[in-house]
Amino acid sequence: PEKKQKTSAGIFSKIQKRTVQDLGYIIPAVLFVLVIASTIHEIFYMSNSGPLYAIADGFNYLVFISIFILARNIPDFFMGKKLVKVFLYIILLMEPIVLLQQAGVPFIYTMFASWNSAIFQQFNYMGYMLCMALLGFVGLYLYEEEKPAKKVWYLFCIALTTVTLIYNNTMGSILAVTVSLPFIYWFYYMRKHSFKGEDFMPLVIYVFMVLMGLLGVLPDAQLFKESVAGLFGDIATLIGMDTSKDIGQIGTSRGQLWKDTLERIPNHPLLGHGPSGFTFENAITNMDSPHNEYLQVAGFLGLPCLAVYLGGLFSIVWKAFNKISEGSEVGIEKPNNNHI
């Protein structure tokens, strides 16, 4: 019986691993078909932004799917780490530009006259980059075991990125970092089963810098303080503590965008309104996005596409958990070629 039990467990483990591996190809293939179908549906049956915009935005989605496939097939851990570092240092190079713009340096404003934040025309785009860079540097710090000088360098990068994030004032990205950091530490604990005092330095630096911004120690951080105050005001509205404001007004009127999107999804639940989506007349003038990833997929591409998209995200997390568990069981100190 014991031998049969071990054999059954081994077979189940192989099936589980194979299923997760296959999802990496099945999910993009299904998404590819749904995006094409939604684009064709919009061109022939809808009259939103016109066929040119539908094809262009549909192509963007196909590019994202291609990047997902390429990312899943990076040959080994060390190649993946190099690619992550290239991305992080490109963002790091842009951070001084944001800070110099904030300081009002004339040369920078002349050089980047049409840009709102660094090289981006919309400061939220830089906020997304800073969010990913900050989490990436925290990860590099935690798993750097060989050179103390590198750990100090990563701490500097974390401090600089946090300050830039504060001055860039993208509240969504600040929220994303704040929520994600505990998960990064949780994964680290699953891998190592213990913490050292120095492991918490990135967390201390992040909290310290944010508090400096809130307390007014950082110069000209008034916008950041107002944004945080507005966030707490929105939370009060959501839970019913503040009835002076309508839910549609929360998140700089994003609440209205979400309400409008939810009302439109039932009109075309299977294929959505097409990749170029729709415009909102009631919220912010000429807005063409719900400003919510899941609502946008559901509204533009349909509910089946949202289900497959969520399945793709879940498959990544599932695979990561399996790899962490494998590493913990066999006592792997350094990731092998198959380690996420």
Side-chain angles (χ1 to χ4, degrees), residues 83-131:
L83 290 172
V84 168
K85 281 187 174 181
V86 169
F87 170 78
L88 296 180
Y89 288 130
I90 288 171
I91 305 305
L92 194 71
L93 286 171
M94 289 193 282
E95 291 176 15
I97 300 174
V98 177
L99 297 176
L100 290 170
Q101 285 174 327
Q102 174 67 24
V105 176
F107 170 73
I108 295 297
Y109 267 106
T110 306
M111 185 177 177
F112 297 97
S114 61
W115 308 118
N116 189 284
S117 183
I119 62 170
F120 297 101
Q121 284 186 306
Q122 224 285 347
F123 68 95
N124 283 330
Y125 299 143
M126 185 63 189
Y128 308 148
M129 301 296 112
L130 292 169
C131 168

mmCIF file of all heavy atoms in Angstrom, residues 83-131:
data_model
loop_
_atom_site.group_PDB
_atom_site.id
_atom_site.type_symbol
_atom_site.label_atom_id
_atom_site.label_comp_id
_atom_site.label_asym_id
_atom_site.label_seq_id
_atom_site.Cartn_x
_atom_site.Cartn_y
_atom_site.Cartn_z
ATOM 1 N N LEU A 83 18.069 39.906 -17.554
ATOM 2 C CA LEU A 83 17.045 40.695 -18.236
ATOM 3 C C LEU A 83 16.332 41.629 -17.263
ATOM 4 O O LEU A 83 16.044 42.784 -17.587
ATOM 5 C CB LEU A 83 16.035 39.770 -18.910
ATOM 6 C CG LEU A 83 16.557 38.984 -20.119
ATOM 7 C CD1 LEU A 83 15.532 37.956 -20.568
ATOM 8 C CD2 LEU A 83 16.903 39.920 -21.266
ATOM 9 N N VAL A 84 16.045 41.124 -16.059
ATOM 10 C CA VAL A 84 15.412 41.958 -15.033
ATOM 11 C C VAL A 84 16.316 43.136 -14.678
ATOM 12 O O VAL A 84 15.864 44.275 -14.542
ATOM 13 C CB VAL A 84 15.093 41.112 -13.773
ATOM 14 C CG1 VAL A 84 14.720 42.006 -12.604
ATOM 15 C CG2 VAL A 84 13.957 40.147 -14.067
ATOM 16 N N LYS A 85 17.615 42.882 -14.539
ATOM 17 C CA LYS A 85 18.555 43.956 -14.183
ATOM 18 C C LYS A 85 18.618 45.023 -15.272
ATOM 19 O O LYS A 85 18.678 46.224 -14.967
ATOM 20 C CB LYS A 85 19.944 43.367 -13.942
ATOM 21 C CG LYS A 85 20.112 42.704 -12.586
ATOM 22 C CD LYS A 85 21.555 42.306 -12.350
ATOM 23 C CE LYS A 85 21.756 41.790 -10.938
ATOM 24 N NZ LYS A 85 23.157 41.417 -10.672
ATOM 25 N N VAL A 86 18.600 44.604 -16.545
ATOM 26 C CA VAL A 86 18.600 45.579 -17.644
ATOM 27 C C VAL A 86 17.391 46.498 -17.519
ATOM 28 O O VAL A 86 17.510 47.730 -17.614
ATOM 29 C CB VAL A 86 18.603 44.856 -19.009
ATOM 30 C CG1 VAL A 86 18.322 45.842 -20.138
ATOM 31 C CG2 VAL A 86 19.938 44.162 -19.241
ATOM 32 N N PHE A 87 16.224 45.910 -17.283
ATOM 33 C CA PHE A 87 14.995 46.693 -17.122
ATOM 34 C C PHE A 87 15.114 47.660 -15.943
ATOM 35 O O PHE A 87 14.798 48.854 -16.046
ATOM 36 C CB PHE A 87 13.809 45.743 -16.920
ATOM 37 C CG PHE A 87 12.537 46.442 -16.517
ATOM 38 C CD1 PHE A 87 11.769 47.119 -17.450
ATOM 39 C CD2 PHE A 87 12.118 46.447 -15.193
ATOM 40 C CE1 PHE A 87 10.602 47.769 -17.075
ATOM 41 C CE2 PHE A 87 10.956 47.088 -14.813
ATOM 42 C CZ PHE A 87 10.191 47.757 -15.752
ATOM 43 N N LEU A 88 15.588 47.160 -14.792
ATOM 44 C CA LEU A 88 15.663 47.979 -13.584
ATOM 45 C C LEU A 88 16.606 49.161 -13.766
ATOM 46 O O LEU A 88 16.307 50.281 -13.337
ATOM 47 C CB LEU A 88 16.119 47.127 -12.392
ATOM 48 C CG LEU A 88 15.180 45.998 -11.955
ATOM 49 C CD1 LEU A 88 15.771 45.243 -10.764
ATOM 50 C CD2 LEU A 88 13.807 46.536 -11.601
ATOM 51 N N TYR A 89 17.733 48.932 -14.418
ATOM 52 C CA TYR A 89 18.708 50.021 -14.552
ATOM 53 C C TYR A 89 18.289 51.047 -15.592
ATOM 54 O O TYR A 89 18.664 52.222 -15.508
ATOM 55 C CB TYR A 89 20.098 49.452 -14.856
ATOM 56 C CG TYR A 89 20.708 48.764 -13.651
ATOM 57 C CD1 TYR A 89 21.252 47.495 -13.733
ATOM 58 C CD2 TYR A 89 20.701 49.392 -12.404
ATOM 59 C CE1 TYR A 89 21.786 46.870 -12.616
ATOM 60 C CE2 TYR A 89 21.236 48.781 -11.287
ATOM 61 C CZ TYR A 89 21.766 47.519 -11.391
ATOM 62 O OH TYR A 89 22.297 46.904 -10.284
ATOM 63 N N ILE A 90 17.485 50.630 -16.573
ATOM 64 C CA ILE A 90 16.915 51.613 -17.505
ATOM 65 C C ILE A 90 15.990 52.570 -16.746
ATOM 66 O O ILE A 90 16.032 53.791 -16.942
ATOM 67 C CB ILE A 90 16.141 50.909 -18.638
ATOM 68 C CG1 ILE A 90 17.118 50.229 -19.597
ATOM 69 C CG2 ILE A 90 15.267 51.899 -19.408
ATOM 70 C CD1 ILE A 90 16.464 49.334 -20.635
ATOM 71 N N ILE A 91 15.157 52.014 -15.847
ATOM 72 C CA ILE A 91 14.272 52.854 -15.027
ATOM 73 C C ILE A 91 15.081 53.733 -14.091
ATOM 74 O O ILE A 91 14.783 54.922 -13.913
ATOM 75 C CB ILE A 91 13.292 51.977 -14.211
ATOM 76 C CG1 ILE A 91 12.517 51.037 -15.131
ATOM 77 C CG2 ILE A 91 12.324 52.849 -13.409
ATOM 78 C CD1 ILE A 91 11.787 51.711 -16.250
ATOM 79 N N LEU A 92 16.132 53.166 -13.507
ATOM 80 C CA LEU A 92 16.982 53.926 -12.574
ATOM 81 C C LEU A 92 17.589 55.147 -13.260
ATOM 82 O O LEU A 92 17.705 56.223 -12.656
ATOM 83 C CB LEU A 92 18.079 53.022 -12.017
ATOM 84 C CG LEU A 92 18.847 53.552 -10.799
ATOM 85 C CD1 LEU A 92 17.963 53.551 -9.555
ATOM 86 C CD2 LEU A 92 20.096 52.712 -10.537
ATOM 87 N N LEU A 93 17.970 54.999 -14.530
ATOM 88 C CA LEU A 93 18.544 56.123 -15.272
ATOM 89 C C LEU A 93 17.548 57.252 -15.477
ATOM 90 O O LEU A 93 17.933 58.424 -15.608
ATOM 91 C CB LEU A 93 19.056 55.635 -16.633
ATOM 92 C CG LEU A 93 20.348 54.809 -16.622
ATOM 93 C CD1 LEU A 93 20.609 54.222 -17.997
ATOM 94 C CD2 LEU A 93 21.528 55.667 -16.180
ATOM 95 N N MET A 94 16.254 56.920 -15.519
ATOM 96 C CA MET A 94 15.222 57.939 -15.727
ATOM 97 C C MET A 94 14.824 58.656 -14.436
ATOM 98 O O MET A 94 14.226 59.729 -14.484
ATOM 99 C CB MET A 94 13.987 57.307 -16.364
ATOM 100 C CG MET A 94 14.189 56.910 -17.810
ATOM 101 S SD MET A 94 12.617 56.509 -18.621
ATOM 102 C CE MET A 94 12.328 54.861 -17.988
ATOM 103 N N GLU A 95 15.138 58.064 -13.283
ATOM 104 C CA GLU A 95 14.689 58.636 -12.009
ATOM 105 C C GLU A 95 15.246 60.033 -11.737
ATOM 106 O O GLU A 95 14.495 60.921 -11.297
ATOM 107 C CB GLU A 95 15.015 57.674 -10.872
ATOM 108 C CG GLU A 95 14.152 56.406 -10.933
ATOM 109 C CD GLU A 95 14.512 55.390 -9.867
ATOM 110 O OE1 GLU A 95 15.227 55.760 -8.901
ATOM 111 O OE2 GLU A 95 14.092 54.227 -9.976
ATOM 112 N N PRO A 96 16.545 60.300 -11.991
ATOM 113 C CA PRO A 96 17.037 61.677 -11.787
ATOM 114 C C PRO A 96 16.311 62.709 -12.643
ATOM 115 O O PRO A 96 16.156 63.863 -12.231
ATOM 116 C CB PRO A 96 18.521 61.586 -12.171
ATOM 117 C CG PRO A 96 18.874 60.146 -11.977
ATOM 118 C CD PRO A 96 17.645 59.386 -12.335
ATOM 119 N N ILE A 97 15.850 62.296 -13.842
ATOM 120 C CA ILE A 97 15.112 63.226 -14.706
ATOM 121 C C ILE A 97 13.835 63.682 -14.012
ATOM 122 O O ILE A 97 13.483 64.868 -14.020
ATOM 123 C CB ILE A 97 14.784 62.571 -16.066
ATOM 124 C CG1 ILE A 97 16.068 62.162 -16.788
ATOM 125 C CG2 ILE A 97 13.954 63.511 -16.933
ATOM 126 C CD1 ILE A 97 15.833 61.373 -18.068
ATOM 127 N N VAL A 98 13.105 62.721 -13.388
ATOM 128 C CA VAL A 98 11.874 63.058 -12.671
ATOM 129 C C VAL A 98 12.169 64.040 -11.538
ATOM 130 O O VAL A 98 11.459 65.042 -11.352
ATOM 131 C CB VAL A 98 11.219 61.781 -12.095
ATOM 132 C CG1 VAL A 98 9.979 62.127 -11.271
ATOM 133 C CG2 VAL A 98 10.843 60.819 -13.213
ATOM 134 N N LEU A 99 13.226 63.767 -10.779
ATOM 135 C CA LEU A 99 13.567 64.615 -9.631
ATOM 136 C C LEU A 99 14.013 66.000 -10.079
ATOM 137 O O LEU A 99 13.681 67.011 -9.444
ATOM 138 C CB LEU A 99 14.656 63.945 -8.787
ATOM 139 C CG LEU A 99 14.255 62.603 -8.150
ATOM 140 C CD1 LEU A 99 15.438 61.972 -7.423
ATOM 141 C CD2 LEU A 99 13.086 62.773 -7.192
ATOM 142 N N LEU A 100 14.762 66.081 -11.179
ATOM 143 C CA LEU A 100 15.204 67.380 -11.703
ATOM 144 C C LEU A 100 14.019 68.166 -12.269
ATOM 145 O O LEU A 100 13.965 69.395 -12.143
ATOM 146 C CB LEU A 100 16.273 67.179 -12.777
ATOM 147 C CG LEU A 100 17.637 66.674 -12.262
ATOM 148 C CD1 LEU A 100 18.545 66.286 -13.413
ATOM 149 C CD2 LEU A 100 18.307 67.722 -11.375
ATOM 150 N N GLN A 101 13.077 67.461 -12.889
ATOM 151 C CA GLN A 101 11.852 68.134 -13.358
ATOM 152 C C GLN A 101 11.087 68.702 -12.170
ATOM 153 O O GLN A 101 10.561 69.814 -12.222
ATOM 154 C CB GLN A 101 10.974 67.140 -14.128
ATOM 155 C CG GLN A 101 11.467 66.820 -15.518
ATOM 156 C CD GLN A 101 10.636 65.727 -16.180
ATOM 157 O OE1 GLN A 101 10.146 64.837 -15.516
ATOM 158 N NE2 GLN A 101 10.512 65.785 -17.497
ATOM 159 N N GLN A 102 10.995 67.905 -11.106
ATOM 160 C CA GLN A 102 10.304 68.352 -9.898
ATOM 161 C C GLN A 102 10.976 69.575 -9.303
ATOM 162 O O GLN A 102 10.308 70.483 -8.793
ATOM 163 C CB GLN A 102 10.291 67.201 -8.869
ATOM 164 C CG GLN A 102 9.723 67.560 -7.515
ATOM 165 C CD GLN A 102 8.239 67.871 -7.562
ATOM 166 O OE1 GLN A 102 7.549 67.401 -8.472
ATOM 167 N NE2 GLN A 102 7.752 68.666 -6.631
ATOM 168 N N ALA A 103 12.303 69.623 -9.385
ATOM 169 C CA ALA A 103 13.058 70.760 -8.853
ATOM 170 C C ALA A 103 13.000 71.973 -9.768
ATOM 171 O O ALA A 103 13.453 73.058 -9.399
ATOM 172 C CB ALA A 103 14.513 70.351 -8.619
ATOM 173 N N GLY A 104 12.453 71.794 -10.988
ATOM 174 C CA GLY A 104 12.296 72.918 -11.911
ATOM 175 C C GLY A 104 13.579 73.332 -12.606
ATOM 176 O O GLY A 104 13.746 74.507 -12.947
ATOM 177 N N VAL A 105 14.489 72.388 -12.834
ATOM 178 C CA VAL A 105 15.746 72.707 -13.520
ATOM 179 C C VAL A 105 15.444 73.087 -14.972
ATOM 180 O O VAL A 105 14.886 72.266 -15.726
ATOM 181 C CB VAL A 105 16.708 71.497 -13.469
ATOM 182 C CG1 VAL A 105 17.973 71.780 -14.273
ATOM 183 C CG2 VAL A 105 17.050 71.160 -12.022
ATOM 184 N N PRO A 106 15.776 74.305 -15.403
ATOM 185 C CA PRO A 106 15.384 74.799 -16.739
ATOM 186 C C PRO A 106 15.868 73.925 -17.873
ATOM 187 O O PRO A 106 15.143 73.673 -18.826
ATOM 188 C CB PRO A 106 16.028 76.195 -16.801
ATOM 189 C CG PRO A 106 16.228 76.586 -15.377
ATOM 190 C CD PRO A 106 16.501 75.322 -14.622
ATOM 191 N N PHE A 107 17.128 73.461 -17.790
ATOM 192 C CA PHE A 107 17.699 72.672 -18.883
ATOM 193 C C PHE A 107 16.879 71.402 -19.129
ATOM 194 O O PHE A 107 16.619 71.012 -20.264
ATOM 195 C CB PHE A 107 19.151 72.293 -18.565
ATOM 196 C CG PHE A 107 19.735 71.281 -19.516
ATOM 197 C CD1 PHE A 107 20.073 71.638 -20.808
ATOM 198 C CD2 PHE A 107 19.907 69.959 -19.127
ATOM 199 C CE1 PHE A 107 20.594 70.712 -21.700
ATOM 200 C CE2 PHE A 107 20.426 69.023 -20.008
ATOM 201 C CZ PHE A 107 20.773 69.393 -21.291
ATOM 202 N N ILE A 108 16.456 70.756 -18.046
ATOM 203 C CA ILE A 108 15.675 69.519 -18.172
ATOM 204 C C ILE A 108 14.318 69.819 -18.804
ATOM 205 O O ILE A 108 13.837 69.077 -19.667
ATOM 206 C CB ILE A 108 15.500 68.844 -16.794
ATOM 207 C CG1 ILE A 108 16.850 68.398 -16.246
ATOM 208 C CG2 ILE A 108 14.555 67.655 -16.892
ATOM 209 C CD1 ILE A 108 17.553 67.354 -17.082
ATOM 210 N N TYR A 109 13.691 70.936 -18.394
ATOM 211 C CA TYR A 109 12.396 71.277 -18.982
ATOM 212 C C TYR A 109 12.523 71.638 -20.455
ATOM 213 O O TYR A 109 11.609 71.423 -21.247
ATOM 214 C CB TYR A 109 11.753 72.421 -18.200
ATOM 215 C CG TYR A 109 10.838 71.927 -17.112
ATOM 216 C CD1 TYR A 109 11.216 71.998 -15.770
ATOM 217 C CD2 TYR A 109 9.622 71.356 -17.431
ATOM 218 C CE1 TYR A 109 10.383 71.516 -14.768
ATOM 219 C CE2 TYR A 109 8.777 70.869 -16.436
ATOM 220 C CZ TYR A 109 9.164 70.954 -15.109
ATOM 221 O OH TYR A 109 8.348 70.471 -14.126
ATOM 222 N N THR A 110 13.655 72.222 -20.837
ATOM 223 C CA THR A 110 13.887 72.543 -22.247
ATOM 224 C C THR A 110 14.123 71.273 -23.053
ATOM 225 O O THR A 110 13.626 71.106 -24.162
ATOM 226 C CB THR A 110 15.120 73.467 -22.387
ATOM 227 O OG1 THR A 110 14.938 74.606 -21.557
ATOM 228 C CG2 THR A 110 15.303 73.902 -23.832
ATOM 229 N N MET A 111 14.863 70.346 -22.437
ATOM 230 C CA MET A 111 15.226 69.099 -23.114
ATOM 231 C C MET A 111 14.016 68.177 -23.266
ATOM 232 O O MET A 111 13.844 67.514 -24.290
ATOM 233 C CB MET A 111 16.324 68.404 -22.304
ATOM 234 C CG MET A 111 16.895 67.161 -22.932
ATOM 235 S SD MET A 111 18.231 66.512 -21.905
ATOM 236 C CE MET A 111 18.658 65.036 -22.815
ATOM 237 N N PHE A 112 13.156 68.136 -22.213
ATOM 238 C CA PHE A 112 11.973 67.268 -22.228
ATOM 239 C C PHE A 112 10.711 68.136 -22.127
ATOM 240 O O PHE A 112 9.872 67.944 -21.269
ATOM 241 C CB PHE A 112 12.031 66.283 -21.057
ATOM 242 C CG PHE A 112 13.189 65.340 -21.108
ATOM 243 C CD1 PHE A 112 14.345 65.596 -20.393
ATOM 244 C CD2 PHE A 112 13.131 64.189 -21.885
ATOM 245 C CE1 PHE A 112 15.419 64.722 -20.441
ATOM 246 C CE2 PHE A 112 14.197 63.316 -21.935
ATOM 247 C CZ PHE A 112 15.354 63.580 -21.218
ATOM 248 N N ALA A 113 10.605 69.104 -23.059
ATOM 249 C CA ALA A 113 9.550 70.108 -22.945
ATOM 250 C C ALA A 113 8.139 69.516 -22.981
ATOM 251 O O ALA A 113 7.237 70.018 -22.322
ATOM 252 C CB ALA A 113 9.709 71.135 -24.073
ATOM 253 N N SER A 114 7.949 68.443 -23.747
ATOM 254 C CA SER A 114 6.591 67.923 -23.918
ATOM 255 C C SER A 114 6.278 66.753 -22.988
ATOM 256 O O SER A 114 5.208 66.164 -23.079
ATOM 257 C CB SER A 114 6.391 67.463 -25.375
ATOM 258 O OG SER A 114 7.296 66.424 -25.680
ATOM 259 N N TRP A 115 7.208 66.433 -22.102
ATOM 260 C CA TRP A 115 7.017 65.243 -21.266
ATOM 261 C C TRP A 115 6.517 65.616 -19.883
ATOM 262 O O TRP A 115 6.973 66.574 -19.275
ATOM 263 C CB TRP A 115 8.317 64.439 -21.156
ATOM 264 C CG TRP A 115 8.932 64.130 -22.475
ATOM 265 C CD1 TRP A 115 10.145 64.529 -22.934
ATOM 266 C CD2 TRP A 115 8.344 63.375 -23.537
ATOM 267 N NE1 TRP A 115 10.363 64.071 -24.203
ATOM 268 C CE2 TRP A 115 9.266 63.359 -24.598
ATOM 269 C CE3 TRP A 115 7.132 62.711 -23.690
ATOM 270 C CZ2 TRP A 115 9.014 62.704 -25.795
ATOM 271 C CZ3 TRP A 115 6.886 62.057 -24.888
ATOM 272 C CH2 TRP A 115 7.818 62.063 -25.917
ATOM 273 N N ASN A 116 5.587 64.830 -19.384
ATOM 274 C CA ASN A 116 5.013 65.072 -18.057
ATOM 275 C C ASN A 116 5.875 64.474 -16.953
ATOM 276 O O ASN A 116 5.976 65.020 -15.866
ATOM 277 C CB ASN A 116 3.599 64.462 -18.012
ATOM 278 C CG ASN A 116 2.843 64.848 -16.762
ATOM 279 O OD1 ASN A 116 3.107 64.313 -15.697
ATOM 280 N ND2 ASN A 116 1.930 65.789 -16.887
ATOM 281 N N SER A 117 6.497 63.333 -17.227
ATOM 282 C CA SER A 117 7.328 62.666 -16.236
ATOM 283 C C SER A 117 8.407 61.863 -16.948
ATOM 284 O O SER A 117 8.099 60.922 -17.681
ATOM 285 C CB SER A 117 6.477 61.741 -15.357
ATOM 286 O OG SER A 117 7.259 61.144 -14.350
ATOM 287 N N ALA A 118 9.678 62.269 -16.753
ATOM 288 C CA ALA A 118 10.821 61.648 -17.426
ATOM 289 C C ALA A 118 10.583 61.667 -18.933
ATOM 290 O O ALA A 118 10.404 62.732 -19.509
ATOM 291 C CB ALA A 118 11.065 60.232 -16.903
ATOM 292 N N ILE A 119 10.529 60.505 -19.592
ATOM 293 C CA ILE A 119 10.337 60.474 -21.040
ATOM 294 C C ILE A 119 8.892 60.132 -21.408
ATOM 295 O O ILE A 119 8.579 59.913 -22.582
ATOM 296 C CB ILE A 119 11.285 59.452 -21.700
ATOM 297 C CG1 ILE A 119 10.988 58.036 -21.199
ATOM 298 C CG2 ILE A 119 12.731 59.822 -21.430
ATOM 299 C CD1 ILE A 119 11.709 56.955 -21.981
ATOM 300 N N PHE A 120 7.998 60.074 -20.401
ATOM 301 C CA PHE A 120 6.607 59.700 -20.645
ATOM 302 C C PHE A 120 5.721 60.943 -20.666
ATOM 303 O O PHE A 120 5.912 61.862 -19.887
ATOM 304 C CB PHE A 120 6.112 58.744 -19.561
ATOM 305 C CG PHE A 120 6.848 57.429 -19.538
ATOM 306 C CD1 PHE A 120 7.839 57.187 -18.609
ATOM 307 C CD2 PHE A 120 6.546 56.436 -20.463
ATOM 308 C CE1 PHE A 120 8.524 55.987 -18.592
ATOM 309 C CE2 PHE A 120 7.226 55.230 -20.453
ATOM 310 C CZ PHE A 120 8.213 55.005 -19.520
ATOM 311 N N GLN A 121 4.712 60.919 -21.527
ATOM 312 C CA GLN A 121 3.797 62.053 -21.618
ATOM 313 C C GLN A 121 2.743 62.039 -20.515
ATOM 314 O O GLN A 121 2.040 63.005 -20.330
ATOM 315 C CB GLN A 121 3.107 62.048 -22.985
ATOM 316 C CG GLN A 121 4.019 62.540 -24.107
ATOM 317 C CD GLN A 121 3.278 62.663 -25.414
ATOM 318 O OE1 GLN A 121 2.654 61.713 -25.864
ATOM 319 N NE2 GLN A 121 3.366 63.810 -26.051
ATOM 320 N N GLN A 122 2.642 60.919 -19.800
ATOM 321 C CA GLN A 122 1.676 60.798 -18.713
ATOM 322 C C GLN A 122 2.409 60.232 -17.494
ATOM 323 O O GLN A 122 3.054 59.190 -17.583
ATOM 324 C CB GLN A 122 0.536 59.864 -19.128
ATOM 325 C CG GLN A 122 -0.849 60.377 -18.754
ATOM 326 C CD GLN A 122 -1.156 60.241 -17.261
ATOM 327 O OE1 GLN A 122 -0.453 59.559 -16.548
ATOM 328 N NE2 GLN A 122 -2.202 60.899 -16.802
ATOM 329 N N PHE A 123 2.313 60.941 -16.365
ATOM 330 C CA PHE A 123 3.125 60.557 -15.206
ATOM 331 C C PHE A 123 2.765 59.179 -14.649
ATOM 332 O O PHE A 123 3.598 58.516 -14.013
ATOM 333 C CB PHE A 123 3.008 61.617 -14.101
ATOM 334 C CG PHE A 123 1.646 61.706 -13.465
ATOM 335 C CD1 PHE A 123 1.357 61.014 -12.299
ATOM 336 C CD2 PHE A 123 0.642 62.489 -14.028
ATOM 337 C CE1 PHE A 123 0.107 61.101 -11.712
ATOM 338 C CE2 PHE A 123 -0.612 62.582 -13.451
ATOM 339 C CZ PHE A 123 -0.885 61.883 -12.287
ATOM 340 N N ASN A 124 1.528 58.707 -14.901
ATOM 341 C CA ASN A 124 1.161 57.367 -14.418
ATOM 342 C C ASN A 124 2.020 56.277 -15.044
ATOM 343 O O ASN A 124 2.310 55.267 -14.407
ATOM 344 C CB ASN A 124 -0.313 57.082 -14.712
ATOM 345 C CG ASN A 124 -1.227 57.797 -13.731
ATOM 346 O OD1 ASN A 124 -0.867 58.023 -12.586
ATOM 347 N ND2 ASN A 124 -2.417 58.171 -14.190
ATOM 348 N N TYR A 125 2.442 56.469 -16.311
ATOM 349 C CA TYR A 125 3.263 55.456 -16.971
ATOM 350 C C TYR A 125 4.606 55.305 -16.251
ATOM 351 O O TYR A 125 5.105 54.201 -16.062
ATOM 352 C CB TYR A 125 3.497 55.815 -18.441
ATOM 353 C CG TYR A 125 2.230 55.904 -19.255
ATOM 354 C CD1 TYR A 125 2.076 56.851 -20.260
ATOM 355 C CD2 TYR A 125 1.164 55.040 -19.007
ATOM 356 C CE1 TYR A 125 0.905 56.933 -21.004
ATOM 357 C CE2 TYR A 125 -0.011 55.111 -19.739
ATOM 358 C CZ TYR A 125 -0.129 56.056 -20.728
ATOM 359 O OH TYR A 125 -1.297 56.135 -21.467
ATOM 360 N N MET A 126 5.187 56.433 -15.858
ATOM 361 C CA MET A 126 6.442 56.372 -15.092
ATOM 362 C C MET A 126 6.193 55.723 -13.735
ATOM 363 O O MET A 126 7.043 54.998 -13.220
ATOM 364 C CB MET A 126 7.020 57.786 -14.913
ATOM 365 C CG MET A 126 8.388 57.811 -14.241
ATOM 366 S SD MET A 126 9.641 56.953 -15.231
ATOM 367 C CE MET A 126 11.024 56.928 -14.080
ATOM 368 N N GLY A 127 5.002 55.974 -13.171
ATOM 369 C CA GLY A 127 4.654 55.360 -11.884
ATOM 370 C C GLY A 127 4.654 53.845 -11.964
ATOM 371 O O GLY A 127 5.138 53.157 -11.055
ATOM 372 N N TYR A 128 4.125 53.285 -13.074
ATOM 373 C CA TYR A 128 4.123 51.827 -13.237
ATOM 374 C C TYR A 128 5.555 51.293 -13.271
ATOM 375 O O TYR A 128 5.862 50.260 -12.664
ATOM 376 C CB TYR A 128 3.409 51.419 -14.536
ATOM 377 C CG TYR A 128 2.040 52.002 -14.726
ATOM 378 C CD1 TYR A 128 1.553 52.299 -15.999
ATOM 379 C CD2 TYR A 128 1.206 52.269 -13.635
ATOM 380 C CE1 TYR A 128 0.289 52.838 -16.184
ATOM 381 C CE2 TYR A 128 -0.056 52.802 -13.816
ATOM 382 C CZ TYR A 128 -0.511 53.092 -15.090
ATOM 383 O OH TYR A 128 -1.752 53.626 -15.267
ATOM 384 N N MET A 129 6.416 51.995 -13.997
ATOM 385 C CA MET A 129 7.817 51.574 -14.094
ATOM 386 C C MET A 129 8.499 51.599 -12.715
ATOM 387 O O MET A 129 9.238 50.689 -12.349
ATOM 388 C CB MET A 129 8.590 52.490 -15.055
ATOM 389 C CG MET A 129 8.069 52.550 -16.469
ATOM 390 S SD MET A 129 8.182 50.978 -17.331
ATOM 391 C CE MET A 129 6.448 50.578 -17.494
ATOM 392 N N LEU A 130 8.240 52.674 -11.964
ATOM 393 C CA LEU A 130 8.850 52.814 -10.641
ATOM 394 C C LEU A 130 8.367 51.728 -9.686
ATOM 395 O O LEU A 130 9.140 51.209 -8.871
ATOM 396 C CB LEU A 130 8.523 54.199 -10.062
ATOM 397 C CG LEU A 130 9.168 55.380 -10.771
ATOM 398 C CD1 LEU A 130 8.556 56.704 -10.295
ATOM 399 C CD2 LEU A 130 10.679 55.401 -10.539
ATOM 400 N N CYS A 131 7.089 51.384 -9.790
ATOM 401 C CA CYS A 131 6.527 50.317 -8.957
ATOM 402 C C CYS A 131 7.280 49.007 -9.188
ATOM 403 O O CYS A 131 7.743 48.356 -8.240
ATOM 404 C CB CYS A 131 5.046 50.147 -9.272
ATOM 405 S SG CYS A 131 4.286 48.669 -8.578
#
